[in-house]
Amino acid sequence: MDDHADQPLTVAEIAAAAHVTVRALQYAFRRHLGTTPLAYLRRTRLAHAHRDLQAADPLGGATVADIAARWGFAHPGRFAALYRDAYGTSPSHTLHS
């Protein structure tokens, strides 16, 4: 999942790649990570977006919307809310820091 976080993934595709059923995948994530596969994927994507925001140059044209979209977040407002929950600051603040 980490290697393909920038691609659209479904639970069924993740389960198939792991050679397990969807139910087995969900059970394993709950048992071992305390989360669902899609919540884990969302956290992974947020972490990648966070690193990109830290490394990006806003003067060079980097935008929060572009970085969010690169990591599968199509709705900037939802991305900003998820980002703030995870990192305690806005993505635009991270980009401009």
Side-chain angles (χ1 to χ4, degrees), residues 72-95:
F73 298 99
H75 190 280
R78 285 190 205 126
F79 170 72
L82 290 167
Y83 189 91
R84 185 179 302 278
D85 287 345
Y87 296 101
T89 190
S90 71
S92 61
H93 184 265
T94 301
L95 176 62

Side-chain angles (χ1 to χ4, degrees), residues 5-85:
D6 61 334
Q7 300 168 16
L9 297 173
T10 66
V11 174
E13 291 170 332
I14 297 165
H19 307 289
V20 298
T21 65
V22 169
R23 187 175 187 124
L25 180 75
Q26 291 171 331
Y27 176 75
F29 267 79
R30 281 275 183 215
R31 182 165 185 204
H32 297 288
L33 299 174
T35 192
T36 66
L38 291 182
Y40 177 85
L41 180 60
R42 187 179 312 113
R43 274 199 324 254
T44 300
R45 288 175 172 167
L46 275 172
H48 283 289
H50 178 67
R51 283 190 291 267
D52 283 359
L53 287 165
Q54 289 176 317
D57 178 10
L59 299 177
T63 68
V64 170
D66 288 343
I67 292 170
R70 180 180 320 139
W71 292 107
F73 298 99
H75 190 280
R78 285 190 205 126
F79 170 72
L82 290 167
Y83 189 91
R84 185 179 302 278
D85 287 345

